[in-house]
Amino acid sequence: MSIDFTLTPELEEIRLRVRAFINDVVKPGEARIGDPDEIERDEYIRILFGMRDQAREAGLWLPHMPKEWGGMGLGHVELAMVQAEAAKAYYGPFILNCQAPDEGNMHTLLHWATDEQKEKYLRPLCEGMAMSCFAMTEPEVAGSDPTLIRTTAVQDGEEWVINGHKWFISNARRASFAILVARTEDNPDLPQAANSAFLVDIPSEGWNRVREVETMHGSTGHSEIVIEDLRVPAANMLGGRGQGHLLGQYRLGPARLAHCMRWISQAETALDMMVDRSLHRYAHGSVLAEKQGIQWMIADSTMELYQSKLMVLHAAYRIDHGLDFKSEVSMAKHFVANMLNRVIDRSIQVHGALGYSTDTPLAHMYQHARWARFADGADEVHQMRIAQRTIAAYRDTGTTQRATGDLPI
Ligand SMILES: Cc1cc2nc3c(=O)[nH]c(=O)nc-3n(C[C@H](O)[C@H](O)[C@H](O)COP(=O)(O)OP(=O)(O)OC[C@H]3O[C@@H](n4cnc5c(N)ncnc54)[C@H](O)[C@@H]3O)c2cc1C
């Protein structure tokens, strides 16, 4: 019997160390920063990078990367614990250098880059000396279907010439390079083999950041990029010709799960706040915690959070064991994203007007959470793929069991 949810003493020690670091270093640092728009830039940088130095000294740097790259060498199950602890503070993942999109880009470079590309692009990311972005989505075509990508790369001797339009490119304004996906093949055998990925230095002539897209939670670093005659050396192709789609899929598996780990942490904060408020708010003869209507919200949130944790742990287990994880990650991503929105919404409900105000973090969390239901795969696209796999499992084996986590029950 090998199903065992107890942590090894070493891992429990790491988890508690991350928790203590977040409480003792990151949260006080965040309090000193306050509103990042108000604080002086130099002071902001000094506090942030001071905390990063402390994370490095505490051995809590790059939890997702192997030791030879300066990381903690954790597997995905172990990472789930660390990410969830780190995300208890807004800057937590950044301080540990495991924030999106760099974290997903590091995985991608580790797997796909040549040795030279790793030295030039992965090394500075791991050392915390650079930031990166991933440029795939375009305003003119549905991001849900990357076979529609219109940005083109045309070979010209030892260079590729790229023209196109991207938007919602997170982190582009701070990045020193992009992983860019563009169409290189006119008539591929498979529509999924039309695109290739490139490493693009930023700034580069022809890479024009034209605006920051203002979102419902403010303008938080998602850029629109117009690409005009951008020249990229042939050696900067990442992966092979026509492998852009494959690379994107490879990147998104662990990256989606890492989002789930951080969302679980956010939902837990919202549930903690819901219970705390319900224990202190009094109406109609008792505190809210004694009302059945409120208990249902607490119970539903508790059950959904429990389901989310199990789904994430199981999907992480499958990645760690080299098993096919596409369906499990899809199901986790869909479920956890929706759970997050529901739990924050209920917490706001229990807080009443206070929840709607910006006096608590809930309003900000709610605005932030909405993107989770369509970015990195919209709900409906995940549902489409999950259903396809369930139908295929039934056709192949006469039962849907394989599609429900392929568990021994
Ligand atoms: C905060 C944020 C950060 C982002 N960061 C990045 C980034 O760094 N890099 C990057 O490249 N992109 C990024 N994106 C873009 C993101 O990946 C896309 O929004 C996503 O892929 C969906 O593409 P789309 O917005 O074009 O929506 P569309 O593809 O137009 O889909 C719109 C809606 O159509 C429906 N739909 C689509 N297909 C189907 C279907 N088959 N069946 C039923 N319904 C369907 C879904 O409801 C979907 O939400 C980011 C987006 C946000 C909001």
Side-chain angles (χ1 to χ4, degrees), residues 230-399:
L230 169 72
R231 288 188 164 265
V232 175
N236 276 32
M237 183 178 275
L238 181 61
R241 255 184 102 139
Q243 290 194 322
H245 187 88
L246 212 59
L247 178 141
Q249 291 304 307
Y250 176 87
R251 179 184 181 279
L252 279 174
R256 280 175 179 143
L257 206 61
H259 278 316
C260 293
M261 296 165 190
R262 295 185 284 261
W263 295 337
I264 281 176
S265 176
Q266 289 260 309
E268 201 157 64
T269 300
L271 178 56
D272 288 350
M273 291 177 69
M274 191 192 311
V275 173
D276 190 66
R277 182 71 176 172
S278 73
L279 286 168
H280 295 99
R281 197 67 165 172
Y282 183 90
H284 303 114
S286 64
V287 290
L288 296 182
E290 289 173 28
K291 319 279 183 201
Q292 197 175 41
I294 302 294
Q295 289 170 355
W296 285 344
M297 284 196 259
I298 293 172
D300 286 346
S301 304
T302 305
M303 290 187 286
E304 290 171 23
L305 200 45
Y306 177 47
Q307 285 167 279
S308 299
K309 290 179 181 183
L310 289 177
M311 288 174 97
V312 167
L313 286 175
H314 184 239
Y317 166 93
R318 290 190 69 88
I319 299 180
D320 280 345
H321 285 77
L323 301 167
D324 183 13
F325 56 81
K326 283 195 283 299
S327 231
E328 287 72 16
V329 169
S330 255
M331 290 190 278
K333 195 272 171 179
H334 181 288
F335 190 82
V336 181
N338 282 273
M339 177 279 302
L340 175 69
N341 279 272
R342 286 192 296 266
V343 174
I344 298 173
D345 181 61
R346 291 182 195 123
S347 192
I348 290 174
Q349 189 69 13
V350 172
H351 280 75
L354 175 64
Y356 193 68
S357 78
T358 53
D359 287 358
T360 81
L362 288 170
H364 179 67
M365 284 160 66
Y366 197 45
Q367 285 170 314
H368 222 276
R370 189 59 186 83
W371 77 288
R373 290 193 46 219
F374 54 84
D376 281 4
D379 280 358
E380 295 78 8
V381 178
H382 285 294
Q383 285 169 295
M384 176 176 78
R385 298 280 177 237
I386 293 162
Q388 284 168 350
R389 292 192 194 104
T390 307
I391 293 164
Y394 185 79
R395 284 211 172 109
D396 293 350
T397 64
T399 166

Side-chain angles (χ1 to χ4, degrees), residues 134-137 141-144 167-170 222 371 374-376 378 380-381 384:
F134 189 80
M136 188 154 91
T137 306
V141 289
S144 303
W167 81 334
F168 269 93
I169 308 311
S170 307
H222 312 294
W371 77 288
F374 54 84
D376 281 4
E380 295 78 8
V381 178
M384 176 176 78

Side-chain angles (χ1 to χ4, degrees), residues 56 61-73 97 106 109-111 113-128:
R56 239 189 240 110
W61 185 248
L62 289 174
H64 57 292
M65 289 299 282
K67 292 202 165 136
E68 58 269 30
W69 285 91
M72 294 170 70
N97 199 7
M106 288 186 222
L109 289 169
L110 187 66
H111 187 80
T114 62
D115 288 345
E116 292 75 30
Q117 290 171 340
K118 281 182 189 163
E119 276 312 310
K120 182 165 177 199
Y121 296 101
L122 179 57
R123 180 81 59 202
L125 273 189
C126 293
E127 289 173 350

Side-chain angles (χ1 to χ4, degrees), residues 61-265:
W61 185 248
L62 289 174
H64 57 292
M65 289 299 282
K67 292 202 165 136
E68 58 269 30
W69 285 91
M72 294 170 70
L74 301 179
H76 287 85
V77 171
E78 298 163 334
L79 193 57
M81 335 264 168
V82 171
Q83 283 274 22
E85 292 295 342
K88 284 280 157 112
Y90 179 74
Y91 289 105
F94 176 79
I95 300 303
L96 271 50
N97 199 7
C98 58
Q99 72 288 349
D102 291 328
E103 178 251 348
N105 289 345
M106 288 186 222
H107 275 304
T108 308
L109 289 169
L110 187 66
H111 187 80
W112 291 82
T114 62
D115 288 345
E116 292 75 30
Q117 290 171 340
K118 281 182 189 163
E119 276 312 310
K120 182 165 177 199
Y121 296 101
L122 179 57
R123 180 81 59 202
L125 273 189
C126 293
E127 289 173 350
M129 306 301 287
M131 299 181 92
S132 62
C133 61
F134 189 80
M136 188 154 91
T137 306
E138 303 180 352
E140 293 83 6
V141 289
S144 303
D145 184 355
T147 65
L148 303 174
I149 282 176
R150 286 192 189 163
T151 296
T152 56
V154 177
Q155 194 155 20
D156 180 20
E158 279 306 293
E159 289 180 324
W160 289 83
V161 184
I162 306 180
N163 281 283
H165 190 186
K166 300 284 178 185
W167 81 334
F168 269 93
I169 308 311
S170 307
N171 221 23
R173 69 177 172 193
R174 302 182 197 94
S176 60
F177 72 93
I179 299 176
L180 170 80
V181 180
R183 173 174 289 269
T184 51
E185 314 305 312
D186 282 337
N187 292 306
D189 291 342
L190 283 175
Q192 288 82 355
N195 302 326
S196 306
F198 296 90
L199 289 158
V200 176
D201 292 311
I202 303 175
S204 274
E205 209 181 314
W207 172 275
N208 305 306
R209 190 163 58 82
V210 292
R211 69 165 174 143
E212 290 301 291
V213 183
E214 183 83 23
T215 70
M216 64 192 279
H217 63 94
S219 175
T220 50
H222 312 294
S223 307
E224 181 173 342
I225 314 285
V226 172
I227 303 165
E228 282 173 326
D229 293 333
L230 169 72
R231 288 188 164 265
V232 175
N236 276 32
M237 183 178 275
L238 181 61
R241 255 184 102 139
Q243 290 194 322
H245 187 88
L246 212 59
L247 178 141
Q249 291 304 307
Y250 176 87
R251 179 184 181 279
L252 279 174
R256 280 175 179 143
L257 206 61
H259 278 316
C260 293
M261 296 165 190
R262 295 185 284 261
W263 295 337
I264 281 176
S265 176

